[in-house]
Amino acid sequence: MTRLCRVKSLVLLTVGMVTAMMLPGSASADPDAGIQNAIHEFFDVGRTSVPRADCGPGSAPENGLQGDVTAADRDSGRSTLGYRCNMSFVGGYAGRGAGITSTSFEHCAYLGSFFPGDLISEGRGVQVLDVSDPAQPRPTVTLTEPAMLAGTWESLKVNTERKLLVGTGVPVGEGVGYLSIYDVADCAHPRLLNPGPGTNLLMPLPITTHEGGFSPDGYTYWASGVAPGFVSAIDLTDPANPRVVWQGLTGIEAHGFGISPDGNRMYISALGGFTVMDISAVQRRDPNPQVHHIGRVFWTDGWATQHSVPVSYDGKPYLYTVDEGGSGGVKLIDISDETEPRVAAKVKLEINLPQHIDSNIGSSMGGSAFAYESHYCAADREDNPTALACGWISSGIRVFDVRDPFAIREIAYYNPPARTGQNLSLWNSPHALASIIGVPLMSTPPAVRAVLEGQFDPLDATTPRTGRLAFGDVSTDWCFSPPEWRGSQLYVACSDNGFMVLQLDNDVYSPPADQKSIVGS
């Protein structure tokens, strides 16, 4: 056996052993088969993209790889015109940017806040928009409770059943204690429900938070605190008096999640995969509820798994699970055996494939912390979904035909105009802010040297990309938020362009009669 073969065998054995140890004891009657399956899924990086959309009349398509905004387009200013394929812009409200994730309810939208930029300009806190006229969304009020001012990060969510809006305060990646609950029956004028616990500065809740979301019935809001993997269940039976009914460590990291329609299972994201958790005792409000791990699945093509969207096909349960980092894209997970979740299919763009990594880096270098990663998705309905819409960061909003989950294809996309050179007007955009402070975060020695020697203006759109490395740039936008379905229109929010209403062409999408935007949690 050669040295290379011995090393490979050792790696496979180690991964197999570690993976086997992470699987619950009841996961497989055949341990060897379980290890082999785990090894295969762990190392399968996915080298195939979904078919490109066939762009119809009126489109202004990408001119490079699927999902790519080429270096030439960034340098020439072409990216400031945006890209569209079978989808058009109806109206929007840019304001000072849309934070990381925003949300909506009925004919209203709520722009997430990003600390500290949201404190600097007008419209401090969470901006409420009335979208009764989709062509002209207009601001109504701002929400300025401590959680809203501290930055809502990925916690701002709506429960449609109970007409509740909740957000937590997350100033620097992780927040502690502050949570606001609003009645949005009058969606343009939310009414604060908890003026005491979680809102009063002297009455914080015992929670940590980075992200959050509801159980489907709206009676529990779950707050996850990233690192360590601390998760809290907050009872909203009486929204005026939120109370923590369960807390626990779910692993070394806890990001976003999805929750089963009955509220009994949580699919909590980890570094590259997720854990199935039995949360039925919390759902029932058992005294001293216990939460148990049921099954896990991990992979190597992608990390910082973002969230999961529960769906079903012909009664069989699946998840669409999204990776935020590492070009992992979106995975279809078969959860019919919840002790052994299984990757059944993958959704990637051409720019995400490992064979195109040079193109990926070549066009996105200088763009700060993110490039062409997926982030949040929404299915148009839970049972037998027909379409999945995703915020794909610098690749914009992507829409896929998912009627056949094993033959997924792209049908439309909209990548909004880059707001190059407008960094200083986008105080509530994490993208623009990261670009301004990019030197200590993302710089390379040649770029730093060019800054110090005064060879370029980092906010000048005409500066060559080799120069713009130091500060990053806004030659694309960052589309983090889940698109939310309104018939054949989508409510979306991107960090620089703010809130937008987009229209899908009728010949590529017809909304099902029972359409309901499903974004996971």
Side-chain angles (χ1 to χ4, degrees):
M1 181 182 289
T2 66
R3 180 180 180 186
L4 178 60
C5 289
R6 286 196 299 270
V7 170
K8 183 177 180 181
S9 298
L10 179 60
V11 170
L12 291 174
L13 178 61
T14 302
V15 170
M17 292 175 63
V18 171
T19 306
M21 287 188 292
M22 292 190 293
L23 292 171
S26 60
S28 175
D30 183 351
D32 290 338
I35 291 173
Q36 290 298 323
N37 289 336
I39 290 173
H40 174 75
E41 292 183 3
F42 194 71
F43 280 105
D44 179 15
V45 299
R47 296 180 178 273
T48 304
S49 58
V50 297
R52 290 186 178 211
D54 182 8
C55 299
S59 295
E62 301 159 335
N63 54 32
L65 294 168
Q66 180 190 37
D68 189 18
V69 180
T70 65
D73 278 7
R74 295 172 186 247
D75 290 339
S76 69
R78 166 64 184 86
S79 65
T80 63
L81 302 178
Y83 306 86
R84 62 186 184 277
C85 174
N86 303 330
M87 188 155 48
S88 57
F89 176 82
V90 176
Y93 178 82
R96 298 294 185 179
I100 296 181
T101 61
S102 301
T103 190
S104 66
F105 178 66
E106 293 184 343
H107 63 276
C108 297
Y110 311 99
L111 295 186
S113 57
F114 187 72
F115 180 88
D118 66 304
L119 303 180
I120 295 174
S121 61
E122 70 278 9
R124 300 166 65 232
V126 168
Q127 178 74 66
V128 180
L129 303 178
D130 186 333
V131 198
S132 298
D133 179 359
Q136 294 184 325
R138 61 181 183 85
T140 56
V141 298
T142 54
L143 309 179
T144 58
E145 281 67 41
M148 305 295 103
L149 292 177
T152 53
W153 210 270
E154 293 167 342
S155 72
L156 195 66
K157 303 289 169 64
V158 164
N159 180 265
T160 59
E161 298 299 320
R162 298 191 65 202
K163 301 181 180 180
L164 296 178
L165 169 71
V166 172
T168 68
V170 188
V172 284
E174 191 148 0
V176 178
Y178 296 104
L179 173 148
S180 296
I181 307 163
Y182 301 90
D183 177 351
V184 290
D186 176 359
C187 70
H189 299 88
R191 179 171 61 90
L192 181 69
L193 296 176
N194 64 317
T199 299
N200 187 308
L201 287 173
L202 300 179
M203 300 175 67
L205 293 173
I207 61 173
T208 62
T209 181
H210 171 94
E211 182 155 357
F214 287 92
S215 288
D217 62 11
Y219 285 91
T220 311
Y221 180 88
W222 296 84
S224 60
V226 186
F230 195 63
V231 175
S232 303
I234 303 157
D235 186 337
L236 301 184
T237 303
D238 177 5
N241 293 288
R243 61 191 184 93
V244 176
V245 293
W246 177 85
Q247 289 180 321
L249 286 171
T250 63
I252 62 172
E253 188 254 8
H255 206 181
F257 46 85
I259 296 180
S260 62
D262 61 9
N264 290 329
R265 295 291 184 268
M266 172 182 278
Y267 311 102
I268 184 75
S269 301
L271 293 172
F274 65 83
T275 298
V276 184
M277 293 171 52
D278 180 352
I279 57 172
S280 57
V282 176
Q283 178 71 8
R284 293 189 303 266
R285 294 298 189 268
D286 289 356
N288 188 29
Q290 302 297 306
V291 170
H292 303 286
H293 291 199
I294 298 175
R296 304 174 177 88
V297 62
F298 298 95
W299 45 76
T300 55
D301 64 328
W303 59 279
T305 301
Q306 180 61 58
H307 78 138
S308 294
V309 182
V311 297
S312 66
Y313 287 96
D314 297 327
K316 185 174 180 177
Y318 290 89
L319 302 174
Y320 280 109
T321 298
V322 187
D323 276 329
E324 176 180 337
S327 288
V330 179
K331 295 174 176 65
L332 177 71
I333 311 294
D334 180 346
I335 53 170
S336 51
D337 179 356
E338 59 186 10
T339 67
E340 287 191 34
R342 183 178 63 85
V343 177
K346 298 186 178 185
V347 181
K348 294 189 178 187
L349 307 179
E350 291 172 2
I351 194 63
N352 300 135
L353 303 181
Q355 59 266 39
H356 295 147
I357 192 168
D358 287 347
S359 296
N360 186 316
I361 294 173
S363 62
S364 67
M365 63 191 307
S368 192
F370 294 97
Y372 302 113
E373 299 87 359
S374 50
H375 198 256
Y376 262 91
C377 296
D380 62 353
R381 63 181 180 183
E382 184 178 296
D383 298 323
N384 297 311
T386 70
L388 185 75
C390 300
W392 215 279
I393 308 188
S394 287
S395 296
I397 306 299
R398 320 297 295 205
V399 183
F400 307 94
D401 182 331
V402 296
R403 288 173 294 179
D404 181 346
F406 303 105
I408 295 171
R409 61 187 180 90
E410 188 172 52
I411 57 174
Y413 58 80
Y414 183 88
N415 201 343
R419 301 189 68 185
T420 305
Q422 301 180 46
N423 306 57
L424 296 179
S425 68
L426 301 174
W427 288 109
N428 194 43
S429 166
H431 184 206
L433 185 61
S435 297
I436 291 172
I437 63 174
V439 167
L441 296 177
M442 306 298 295
S443 60
T444 62
V448 172
R449 190 162 57 249
V451 174
L452 297 178
E453 294 174 357
Q455 295 177 7
F456 70 95
D457 177 354
L459 300 184
D460 182 354
T462 65
T463 299
R465 292 195 58 69
T466 51
R468 290 210 306 272
L469 277 172
F471 281 103
D473 61 69
V474 288
S475 59
T476 63
D477 201 343
W478 282 356
C479 295
F480 284 129
S481 284
E484 299 186 346
W485 293 91
R486 298 291 192 282
S488 59
Q489 291 185 341
L490 291 169
Y491 282 12
V492 307
C494 297
S495 293
D496 300 338
N497 279 271
F499 174 76
M500 294 170 283
V501 179
L502 305 179
Q503 177 70 52
L504 281 156
D505 293 353
N506 291 334
D507 58 350
V508 299
Y509 178 75
S510 297
D514 57 347
Q515 181 199 73
K516 180 182 179 182
S517 195
I518 306 297
V519 300
S521 298

